[in-house]
């Protein structure tokens, strides 16, 4: 209704209509904001689904991809390469130019295979003389030698003195194995562990591979028994790594979900949690818990009173010793502004905040590339990062007052300001990282694994699986060949003295390997 028509009405009718008009305007504004929030949330879901390249796509392109089943990453990248005028229509897809042939790694052994010319090619077509070899046209191809399964026939020597029968018979001792009386060698058992927790192959798929490749029928329960027994031995290694971790003064922490078959939830998986505690360049320890409550980290950390770096999850509060100090994660704070920028690429305010945070990461890159010590990195942060942090807080505080709290940008501002006291802790400590990315990177194999092996078979299996993943991730972080480590260490654990178990951790193993390499050959 036009306003001029409204003024022509009698006063007794005009007042209620004006009230209803204002109510509808307010409701329209509320619904418009709610619709905008829902559209932004939907765009974020699509961006997460189609990966980093999809950030360059318009809403029309994203909808086009969503309507087409089986979209590949290459198609998303090709769509992102379109010129802006074609993105607007979202109708054409360009093919990406081939980047060229990839060089094969130099460290792989080379096996020469000479391909001879045919008899017709060996003779000159004019004089019929035999032509000599004048060179080779050389190319390389990647080849594979499939795993070959063999049966080791173990013959243990038996010796006895013919002149002293009372001394009995001496029998040679076999090398120990991680699973007693097992028909499989340590190499086969370790291969099952690596296939499941490094290559993410569920046990049932490995059983199929054994049957297909070797004609060997092994039950799932047999392989699960091997895995759980190894997990039991590795729990001792995990306890030693926990002691090493708690003896320091800096720990990063995070958690992720894992399905568990349990009597607590019949008909569906119970939602368990793997809590990760680690130190950059040091041990990674996973702790399995059936819940996400504070009791898990409180029990694991005990009286720890150093610096704990984590996200804003409340379960980490009020744990540890009296002197514990919390450090925040700048990557978590930055992520909120990045999400706002994905939704509105022309948002200058979000761009300015992200640019300020980029200055902080530039300082970290300089320290990393310069291989600075912790003390040198602390001095560099004092000189370069602290002034940027002060400006960043001023900008976020000013922008927070301008944006509604339910918008993505408003949420990002509120999270950053709520965590600010923790976000700036790293600048005063050279050993503390700017973010929790070391910790989050160690979580990724679990996320990949649970898409394949789906869940843990029981609550009792949780700590053993956590121990296996802890050792594997620690080896990965320390750049240790996990197969070599497990083949050497696993058989030793059952008979190893408990008070010396720290000698078998990946850190101690790596130190021995480095020491052995540094000794000059005789």
């Amino acid at each position: 209704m036009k306003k001029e028509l409204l003024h022509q009405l009698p006063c007794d009718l005009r007042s209620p209509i004006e009230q209803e008009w204002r109510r509808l305007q307010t409701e329209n504004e509320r619904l418009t904001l709610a619709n905008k929030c829902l559209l932004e949330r939907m765009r974020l879901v699509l961006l997460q689904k189609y990966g980093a390249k999809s950030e360059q796509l318009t809403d029309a392109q994203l909808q086009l991809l969503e309507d087409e089943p089986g979209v590949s990453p290459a198609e998303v990248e090709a769509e992102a390469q379109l010129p802006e005028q074609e993105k607007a229509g979202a109708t054409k897809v360009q093919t990406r130019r081939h980047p060229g042939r990839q060089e094969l790694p130099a460290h792989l052994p080379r096996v020469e295979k000479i391909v001879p010319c045919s008899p017709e090619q060996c003779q000159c077509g004019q004089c019929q003389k035999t032509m000599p070899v004048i060179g080779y046209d050389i190319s390389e191809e990647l080849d594979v030698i499939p795993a070959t399964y063999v049966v080791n026939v173990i013959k243990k020597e038996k010796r006895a003195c013919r002149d002293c029968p009372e001394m009995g018979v001496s029998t040679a001792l076999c090398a120990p194995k991680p699973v007693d009386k097992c028909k499989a060698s340590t190499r086969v058992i370790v291969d099952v562990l690596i296939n499941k927790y490094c290559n993410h192959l569920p046990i049932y798929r490995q059983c199929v591979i054994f049957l297909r490749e070797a004609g060997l029928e092994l039950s799932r329960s047999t392989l699960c028994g091997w895995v759980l027994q190894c997990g039991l031995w590795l729990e001792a290694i995990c306890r030693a790594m926990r002691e090493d971790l708690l003896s320091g003064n800096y720990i990063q922490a995070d958690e992720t979900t894992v399905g568990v078959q349990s009597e607590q939830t019949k008909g569906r998986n119970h939602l368990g949690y793997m809590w990760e505690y680690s130190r950059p360049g040091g041990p990674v320890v996973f702790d399995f818990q059936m819940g996400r409550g504070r009791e898990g980290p409180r029990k694991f950390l005990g009286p720890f009173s150093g610096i704990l770096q984590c996200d804003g999850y409340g379960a980490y509060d009020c744990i540890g010793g009296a002197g514990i100090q919390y450090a925040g994660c700048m990557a978590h704070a930055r992520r909120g502004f990045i999400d706002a920028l994905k939704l509105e690429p022309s948002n200058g305010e979000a761009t300015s905040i992200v640019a300020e945070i980029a200055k902080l990461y530039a300082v970290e890159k300089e320290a990393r590339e310069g291989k600075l010590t912790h003390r040198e990195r602390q001095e560099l942060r004092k000189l370069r990062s602290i002034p940027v942090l002060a400006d960043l807080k001023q900008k976020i505080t000013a922008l927070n007052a301008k944006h509604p709290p339910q918008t993505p940008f408003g949420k990002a501002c509120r999270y950053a300001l709520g965590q600010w006291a923790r976000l700036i802790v790293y600048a005063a400590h050279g050993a503390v990282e700017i973010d929790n990315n070391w910790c989050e990177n160690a979580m990724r194999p679990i996320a990949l694994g649970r898409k394949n092996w789906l869940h843990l078979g029981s609550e009792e299996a949780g700590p053993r699986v956590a121990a296996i993943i802890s050792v594997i991730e620690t080896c990965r972080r320390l750049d240790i060949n996990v197969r070599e480590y497990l083949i050497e260490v696993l058989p030793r654990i059952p008979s190893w003295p408990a008070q010396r178990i720290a000698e078998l951790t990946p850190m101690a193993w790596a130190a021995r390997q480095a020491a052995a390499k540094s000794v000059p050959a005789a």
Side-chain angles (χ1 to χ4, degrees):
M1 182 181 292
K2 295 183 178 180
K3 290 186 177 182
E4 55 268 20
L5 295 178
L6 185 63
H7 289 299
Q8 296 176 9
L9 295 175
C11 292
D12 55 340
L13 293 177
R14 189 190 312 162
S15 179
I17 292 177
E18 286 179 339
Q19 291 178 2
E20 182 64 14
W21 178 275
R22 285 192 293 269
R23 187 190 70 79
L24 290 174
Q25 279 187 317
T26 303
E27 181 68 9
N28 182 62
E29 291 173 358
R30 186 187 69 80
L31 292 175
T32 300
L33 181 59
N35 183 59
K36 180 183 177 184
C37 292
L38 289 173
L39 289 174
E40 290 173 343
R41 189 177 302 176
M42 184 176 72
R43 178 172 172 82
L44 280 178
V45 170
L46 293 175
L47 292 177
Q48 291 169 0
K49 179 178 180 180
Y50 292 115
K53 284 291 180 182
S54 65
E55 295 174 14
Q56 305 170 27
L57 304 183
T58 64
D59 289 336
Q61 287 177 297
L62 286 171
Q63 189 58 50
L64 183 68
L65 294 175
E66 185 67 6
D67 292 340
E68 182 179 343
V71 174
S72 68
E75 289 175 296
V76 177
E77 186 166 355
E79 190 73 18
Q81 298 292 327
L82 289 176
E84 289 301 320
Q85 59 270 25
E86 292 188 19
K87 284 185 180 181
T91 56
K92 300 180 181 178
V93 177
Q94 286 185 341
T95 57
R96 188 185 180 194
R97 294 183 62 185
H98 195 281
R101 292 187 178 274
Q102 181 181 359
E103 292 292 329
L104 296 176
H107 69 272
L108 294 179
R110 261 56 179 177
V111 178
E112 286 192 357
K113 292 185 178 181
I114 298 178
V115 181
C117 292
S118 66
E120 293 79 11
Q121 292 174 308
C122 292
Q123 286 185 333
C124 176
Q126 183 172 329
C127 66
Q128 303 302 314
K129 290 183 179 179
T130 301
M131 296 187 296
V133 176
I134 61 171
Y136 297 95
D137 185 7
I138 301 175
S139 62
E140 292 187 340
E141 67 176 9
L142 184 65
D143 197 7
V144 61
I145 301 174
T148 303
Y149 293 95
V150 299
V151 177
N152 292 331
V153 180
I154 311 297
K155 292 184 175 181
K156 297 185 291 185
E157 281 190 353
K158 298 197 304 183
R159 293 179 178 264
C161 180
R162 298 183 185 277
D163 299 327
C164 306
E166 69 277 5
M167 297 302 294
V169 177
S170 297
T171 306
L173 298 176
C174 281
K177 295 199 295 186
V179 182
D180 193 29
K181 299 179 181 179
C182 179
K183 286 283 187 180
S185 69
T186 299
R187 290 182 181 277
V188 172
I189 295 171
V190 167
D191 200 54
V192 171
L193 287 177
I194 290 175
N195 276 334
K196 181 166 185 183
Y197 295 106
C198 290
N199 302 332
H200 316 300
L201 277 176
I203 293 298
Y204 80 89
R205 291 188 198 166
Q206 296 193 52
C207 291
V208 171
I209 293 172
F210 274 118
L211 185 61
R212 183 181 67 240
E213 302 292 339
L216 182 61
E217 190 169 355
L218 293 173
S219 68
R220 290 170 62 183
S221 60
T222 297
L223 269 65
C224 285
W226 298 350
V227 171
L228 292 178
Q229 184 61 55
C230 291
L232 178 64
W233 299 133
L234 292 177
E235 280 190 79
I237 301 291
C238 207
R239 286 191 290 269
M241 291 198 299
R242 173 180 177 267
E243 292 178 6
D244 182 290
L245 196 59
L246 295 177
S247 66
N249 58 2
Y250 173 40
I251 293 177
Q252 293 185 329
D254 203 357
E255 76 287 336
T256 190
T257 59
V258 61
V260 187
Q261 287 186 322
S262 172
E263 292 294 327
Q264 296 183 24
T265 52
K266 293 184 178 180
R268 60 182 176 86
N269 283 336
H270 176 82
L271 194 62
Y273 282 84
M274 286 287 186
W275 297 74
E276 184 209 335
Y277 306 90
S278 60
R279 183 172 64 241
V284 180
V285 182
F286 285 89
D287 180 47
F288 172 77
Q289 295 291 330
M290 288 293 281
R292 202 187 179 198
R294 185 175 287 120
E295 190 56 35
R298 176 180 287 144
K299 182 178 179 182
F300 184 94
L301 293 171
F304 176 74
S305 57
I307 296 174
L308 178 66
Q309 190 167 32
C310 55
D311 57 25
Y313 180 43
Y316 295 109
D317 298 338
C318 304
I319 58 175
I324 193 169
Q325 185 178 8
Y326 293 94
C329 175
M330 189 62 71
H332 275 79
R334 178 181 179 272
R335 199 169 298 156
F337 296 105
I338 289 291
D339 287 344
L341 199 55
K342 288 177 184 177
L343 296 170
E344 193 179 351
S346 60
N347 188 333
E349 295 173 339
T351 302
S352 66
I353 297 298
V354 172
E356 288 296 307
I357 297 176
K359 295 178 183 178
L360 298 174
Y361 277 93
V363 175
E364 300 306 305
K365 181 181 180 182
E366 182 180 332
R368 185 171 59 254
E369 292 178 348
K371 299 181 179 180
L372 303 187
T373 65
H374 289 165
R375 181 174 292 278
E376 290 171 337
R377 184 163 71 163
Q378 181 179 349
E379 291 300 318
L380 181 65
R381 287 171 173 174
K382 182 179 180 181
L383 180 66
R384 303 261 301 278
S385 298
I386 291 180
V388 175
L389 285 167
D391 292 341
L392 181 62
K393 184 181 181 183
Q394 281 187 337
K395 286 187 177 181
I396 295 176
T397 303
L399 293 172
N400 182 52
K402 294 171 55 180
H403 292 269
Q406 64 268 41
T407 63
F409 193 88
K411 290 178 181 178
C413 290
R414 283 191 297 124
Y415 179 85
L417 293 176
Q419 290 284 303
W420 195 257
R422 299 183 178 187
L423 289 175
I424 62 175
V425 166
Y426 87 96
H429 300 84
V432 180
E433 297 295 322
I434 188 174
D435 55 36
N436 224 17
N437 283 352
W438 280 80
C439 196
E440 290 196 3
N441 288 340
M443 286 287 192
R444 290 177 181 174
I446 295 183
L448 289 172
R450 67 187 174 212
K451 291 180 181 178
N452 293 275
W453 40 258
L454 302 180
H455 56 243
L456 305 181
S458 66
E459 182 177 347
E460 292 72 25
R464 301 186 185 190
V465 172
I468 295 171
I469 299 174
S470 298
V471 169
I472 288 175
E473 282 305 303
T474 301
C475 287
R476 187 174 71 88
R477 178 168 290 190
L478 300 179
D479 200 21
I480 293 172
N481 187 311
V482 65
R483 188 185 298 275
E484 293 179 4
Y485 169 78
L486 289 175
I487 287 174
E488 180 180 331
V489 169
L490 259 178
R492 294 186 180 185
I493 301 175
S495 58
W496 197 264
Q499 65 272 21
R500 293 174 50 204
I501 198 67
E503 298 175 15
L504 299 183
T505 63
M507 295 83 71
W509 188 86
R512 286 196 300 273
Q513 296 291 99
K517 289 180 180 178
S518 64
V519 176

